[in-house]
Amino acid sequence: MNKIKFRDHHHYKDGGLLRSEKVERKIIEIILNSATLDSSESESSKVWELKHSSGCCQLARILAQKRNLNCEIAEVSALLHDIYVVKSGKYQDHAKLGAPLSEDLLNHIGGFTLKEIKKISKAIYYHSEKEIYTNEPYVELIKDVDVFDCSLYINAEGYYRLHKLEIIVDEYIKRIKKVRQELNLPEEPVFRQR
Ligand SMILES: [Fe+2]
């Protein structure tokens, strides 16, 4: 009888991590060790950043399969898309300010080509422009996973309606509906209600 050899999962302990797994561990370490998140000036929290980066990472893996995209580029872009918020606790211009931070982190971790780093950094740089549709698959992927992940939390709609212009909320709704359709989910509820 043929015996298939399986490799055990490392559970992110010690060595043997792939480059994307090193990014997964690093972003968690940055969040957990942050002195800024959870401070009174911070607009975010450690819990939110842990949940949102992990949630977006899983959704990016799912949509990457649907869209025939590279899973590693998708998951790393998702993990790092809010890196500026993670480091500063601030949302103002976080997409554009986060792109160079992601490049530094990926260069530090190593194993990523310049072309891959530019692709990831571009997806992060443009991810706040939800109302714009491009031909860049990873840029669109990160915009989509960002809004769709948030839509699965209670009161995400309230947050958007209180903090964003109505035309922008309409664009978010359009994107969430598009992803729901792609995943064969019912169109409603666009935002989780309870
Ligand atoms: Fe986000």
Side-chain angles (χ1 to χ4, degrees):
M1 199 170 103
N2 271 344
K3 264 206 158 180
I4 302 165
K5 284 207 171 152
F6 291 105
R7 278 186 65 197
D8 198 3
H9 192 260
H10 44 62
H11 286 77
Y12 300 90
K13 297 194 298 183
D14 311 319
L17 268 66
L18 302 173
R19 57 186 190 166
S20 54
E21 293 169 340
K22 287 180 187 167
V23 178
E24 284 183 81
R25 188 166 70 180
K26 188 71 188 168
I27 196 75
I28 299 255
E29 285 170 356
I30 295 172
I31 296 168
L32 291 179
N33 294 327
S34 167
T36 316
L37 289 171
D38 289 350
S39 72
S40 56
E41 299 85 57
S42 174
E43 295 165 25
S44 188
S45 69
K46 290 182 180 181
V47 172
W48 173 253
E49 295 308 324
L50 287 169
K51 293 195 65 64
H52 185 51
S53 60
S54 305
C56 286
C57 177
Q58 291 289 55
L59 293 172
R61 288 167 174 154
I62 292 168
L63 287 183
Q65 286 189 42
K66 278 267 178 190
R67 300 178 187 185
N68 214 5
L69 298 176
N70 178 286
C71 188
E72 265 195 308
I73 301 298
E75 64 189 351
V76 170
S77 305
L79 284 163
L80 299 180
H81 83 279
D82 278 343
I83 188 165
Y84 183 79
V85 183
V86 165
K87 295 211 168 191
S88 71
K90 306 280 181 212
Y91 281 101
Q92 181 80 40
D93 291 330
H94 72 281
K96 291 182 169 47
L97 293 166
L101 297 180
S102 74
E103 293 184 18
D104 291 347
L105 186 142
L106 294 172
N107 278 318
H108 177 75
I109 284 182
F112 292 90
T113 66
L114 188 63
K115 205 174 158 191
E116 289 171 327
I117 293 175
K118 287 292 167 199
K119 207 177 270 187
I120 293 163
S121 145
K122 192 173 188 178
I124 294 167
Y125 188 89
Y126 290 107
H127 88 265
S128 289
E129 299 175 0
K130 308 285 196 297
E131 71 284 12
I132 298 171
Y133 289 78
T134 69
N135 290 324
E136 300 281 346
Y138 297 96
V139 170
E140 295 308 305
L141 180 88
I142 298 311
K143 292 176 187 179
D144 289 344
V145 297
D146 193 15
V147 286
F148 184 56
D149 182 66
C150 292
S151 77
L152 301 172
Y153 291 89
I154 292 166
N155 289 337
E157 180 175 13
Y159 175 83
Y160 287 148
R161 293 206 182 276
L162 288 168
H163 296 278
K164 297 187 187 290
L165 293 172
E166 198 180 332
I167 44 165
I168 298 295
V169 180
D170 289 345
E171 293 294 340
Y172 279 44
I173 291 171
K174 211 163 108 185
R175 273 191 188 273
I176 296 163
K177 282 185 174 173
K178 183 173 69 68
V179 175
R180 293 186 68 84
Q181 196 175 37
E182 193 176 352
L183 297 175
N184 288 323
L185 292 168
E187 189 172 275
E188 300 285 344
V190 175
F191 292 103
R192 183 178 162 192
Q193 299 298 326
R194 60 189 164 85

